[in-house]
Amino acid sequence: MILQTVLTNLMLRLHKMGRYEKISLALLFPANVMYTVAASTHFWFELPGVAWYGLFYAKFCDLLDECHYVPAFFTNEPGFYHLLQLVCVFAWACLALSIYMLISDSMDSRIPRILRKNRNNAIAFICFASAFAMSGGLYLFYYIINDFPREVDKYPEMKWASMFASLACALEFLAGLFLLHAS
C-alpha cells in the first residue's frame, strides 16, 4: 500500500516535470550509480605494481605478491585523506539531494526565499557545487597520490573508478546546465 502510494506520487511528479527536468533526472541517476560504484572500490589510482588507492581503502602488495587492504587514512597523508573523504562525501550528498529535490516537493520549503521562485536554479546550484567538489576531490586525490614515495618515473595512473567519478561529475554538470535552461 505504501509502495503504491509512493509510486503514484512519483509518477505524478514525473508527469508535472518539464522536458529538461526529465533529462536532468535521467542524467543524475547514472551519475549517482557511477559515483557510488567508484566510491566503494580501491581502483581510483594505481602506483604501478605496488598499490591501488580508493576513497576509503587502499590495497598494497609487497615483493612476495602478498596484498593487504588498509583503510585509506592509514596511508602516508591521513590529514589529506580526511579532507578528500569529506569533499567526496559532500559531493555524494549533494548528488543525492539534487535527485531528491527533483522528484519531491518536500524540500521546497527549505530553499531560501530568493531562490524559491525558481527551484530549478537552486537544484542547478546544488548540482554545480557537487560537480566542482567531485572534480576538486579528483584533483586532490591525484595530488596526494603523486606525493607518495614511489620509484622514479612511475607516476600514478588513473583507473576505471576515477573515470567513473569523472563521468559522474560531467553528467551532473550537464544536468545542472539543463536545469538552468529549464528556468
Side-chain angles (χ1 to χ4, degrees), residues 103-177:
I103 62 174
S104 173
D105 293 333
S106 65
M107 291 292 291
D108 289 352
S109 63
R110 290 183 171 79
I111 297 174
R113 288 182 188 207
I114 297 171
L115 298 174
R116 218 178 270 172
K117 292 177 185 172
N118 196 341
R119 67 189 294 273
N120 288 341
N121 284 346
I123 299 170
F125 174 75
I126 293 170
C127 287
F128 293 143
S130 178
F132 285 118
M134 280 182 201
S135 63
L138 281 166
Y139 174 77
L140 182 63
F141 204 170
Y142 184 81
Y143 178 78
I144 292 168
I145 301 298
N146 196 29
D147 282 348
F148 281 4
R150 57 182 162 76
E151 294 178 26
V152 177
D153 295 333
K154 286 198 174 181
Y155 295 99
E157 298 173 0
M158 287 183 82
K159 292 311 217 182
W160 64 267
S162 59
M163 300 295 183
F164 267 23
S166 299
L167 188 57
C169 177
L171 289 175
E172 189 168 17
F173 190 78
L174 281 174
L177 289 176

Side-chain angles (χ1 to χ4, degrees), residues 16-57:
K16 283 195 251 177
M17 281 185 184
R19 179 174 52 150
Y20 292 116
E21 290 170 306
K22 288 177 184 176
I23 292 171
S24 296
L25 189 61
L27 292 172
L28 289 173
F29 271 119
N32 194 12
V33 169
M34 285 188 280
Y35 202 68
T36 302
V37 169
S40 63
T41 68
H42 62 274
F43 291 110
W44 284 55
F45 291 97
E46 175 188 3
L47 288 176
V50 178
W52 293 261
Y53 293 94
L55 186 56
F56 296 107
Y57 61 97

